[in-house]
Amino acid sequence: MPDPKEIEELLLGGELLYTRVDAVERAGVSREFSGQVWKAFGYPSMPDGEVAYTDGDVAALNRLGRLMDEGVLDEDAVIRLVRAFGQTMTRLAEWQVNLLSHMIGPGGDEPDAESVRTIVELAEKHIGEFEPLVVHAWRRQLAAAGTRAIAAAATREPGSSGAVRPQIAVGFADMVSFTQMSRELEELELARVVERFEETASDIVASCGGRLVKTLGDEVLFCADTPAVGGEIALAIAQAITDETEVPDVRVGVAYGPVLSLMGDVFGTTVNLAARLTKLARPGSVVIDAELAAELEKEPGFATTRIVRRPVRGLGIVQPYVLRRGRDEPGPGDVAAPAAG
């Protein structure tokens, strides 16, 4: 088995040279600030006397300190920024190691010694090629997020407050009978179903021009800047999963309205309504709120059918609609019969 210290130094890109006290002194920041930064990154606390930091760690602290000294960001903003990086990279790293372990290893839950040795050899040869891909993906997503922010700002009325929340389409796609399936399948089989579901949904969201906010195992949350894109994503996911033999059908619920965006996630009544609408849908169908239905009436290619008003937890009585392709006749996957009148 390769030496753990050697593996750590290989992946960190430098030797472990400094204690916490040394790193703080070299970076020119306070001990308290360094502690906040390491916690925000998601790093474990180290005893003061343990040699656990590299030149890269010192450089990172120094850069963050300069951002504050030059007035680019205050301390609170720096910590929030670091936390966003830390949480994102934690999941990315776990995903990559698990992926390599299953590709190389014998198929168990944990890699054996030979698998670890192979992964280390791959890292030694190719980590320099992987690192620029992370930056490339970040820049691409940053450009997309910046473009969305500019477009949202352009739609505000002159003189309006910057706190105005954007109107977007928010949708949930939820796998049917996931709890029962989780009892019937082996862990690896279940993981493959979840992975296939997430792959299908994320590919559709990206190709349509939406944003995958997060995945929750049997559920995905997505957003779209326009009603038409939100409707297209919802219908495409429902149809694609229906055609996917490895994955159970999904219910999709979408609402249109203002949201609060924070740390890459979205919050608010519109998000809650989309979640509630998902529970009203039958397998393979899409249910939307009245606001989105009104917007999609103006768009070709969509057809909406009003169904019976329903009480939903925390939101009172709502008027849901079934969303279909405009050229399609009602099918067996649609939800309840239209309301009278």
Side-chain angles (χ1 to χ4, degrees):
M1 179 75 72
D3 180 77
K5 183 173 183 291
E6 292 179 2
I7 295 175
E8 186 177 13
E9 291 182 337
L10 167 67
L11 298 178
L12 287 173
E15 292 183 62
L16 299 174
L17 299 172
Y18 310 114
T19 65
R20 177 175 175 175
V21 174
D22 294 333
V24 167
E25 183 178 336
R26 285 175 172 271
V29 298
S30 70
R31 175 189 174 90
E32 180 183 10
F33 176 71
S34 71
Q36 290 180 306
V37 168
W38 298 142
K39 284 190 290 186
F41 267 130
Y43 304 160
S45 298
M46 294 292 183
D48 284 349
E50 183 170 344
V51 176
Y53 300 97
T54 68
D55 284 323
D57 294 315
V58 173
L61 282 176
N62 185 263
R63 288 191 187 98
L64 294 172
R66 286 205 310 270
L67 287 174
M68 294 189 301
D69 292 341
E70 295 170 6
V72 178
L73 296 172
D74 62 20
E75 184 171 323
D76 179 65
V78 165
I79 298 303
R80 292 172 67 187
L81 179 67
V82 168
R83 183 170 289 110
F85 275 117
Q87 292 179 358
T88 301
M89 293 306 167
T90 295
R91 187 180 183 203
L92 175 62
E94 291 289 343
W95 195 350
Q96 289 173 327
V97 170
N98 289 339
L99 176 64
L100 288 172
S101 298
H102 286 297
M103 287 175 57
I104 295 168
D109 292 334
E110 297 293 337
D112 59 12
E114 186 59 35
S115 299
V116 171
R117 189 174 293 108
T118 303
I119 292 172
V120 172
E121 290 173 357
L122 281 172
E124 287 179 317
K125 293 179 181 178
H126 302 293
I127 195 168
E129 298 170 20
F130 294 147
E131 187 173 352
L133 296 178
V134 176
V135 177
H136 172 75
W138 172 64
R139 283 186 173 274
R140 272 285 179 180
Q141 294 300 334
L142 190 63
T147 301
R148 288 193 297 267
I150 292 170
T155 61
R156 291 181 188 143
E157 294 293 330
S160 64
S161 168
V164 174
R165 296 180 183 179
Q167 298 270 125
I168 64 173
V170 180
F172 285 90
D174 179 31
M175 273 196 286
V176 177
S177 302
F178 181 77
T179 301
Q180 179 182 346
M181 182 177 62
S182 65
R183 298 193 189 104
E184 297 172 351
L185 296 181
E186 296 290 333
E187 289 182 357
L188 289 177
E189 293 178 296
L190 183 64
R192 178 55 191 160
V193 170
V194 170
E195 183 179 31
R196 184 60 184 160
F197 167 57
E198 292 183 356
E199 287 173 352
T200 301
S202 61
D203 287 351
I204 290 171
V205 172
S207 63
C208 291
R211 180 169 72 90
L212 187 69
V213 178
K214 61 185 174 183
T215 59
L216 303 167
D218 61 333
E219 190 173 60
V220 298
L221 169 59
F222 62 88
C223 290
D225 292 335
T226 68
V229 171
E232 178 58 34
I233 290 172
L235 290 171
I237 289 178
Q239 184 59 59
I241 298 298
T242 297
D243 296 338
E244 176 60 64
T245 57
E246 294 183 25
V247 182
D249 286 346
V250 295
R251 297 181 289 250
V252 186
V254 192
Y256 183 70
V259 300
L260 172 64
S261 296
L262 183 65
M263 292 291 289
D265 208 340
V266 289
F267 304 90
T269 301
T270 304
V271 180
N272 295 337
L273 177 55
R276 304 291 188 267
L277 292 171
T278 305
K279 306 305 180 186
L280 301 182
R282 287 180 179 170
S285 72
V286 178
V287 172
I288 64 176
D289 71 334
E291 285 72 16
L292 183 57
E295 293 291 332
L296 292 180
E297 283 181 359
K298 314 167 191 174
E299 301 286 345
F302 297 105
T304 60
T305 302
R306 187 169 57 137
I307 59 176
V308 177
R309 294 197 303 165
R310 306 286 181 85
V312 297
R313 181 166 52 87
L315 297 172
I317 304 295
V318 301
Q319 175 60 71
Y321 289 74
V322 179
L323 178 65
R324 307 185 190 91
R325 297 287 181 192
R327 62 180 179 275
D328 292 341
E329 294 298 322
D334 297 324
V335 296

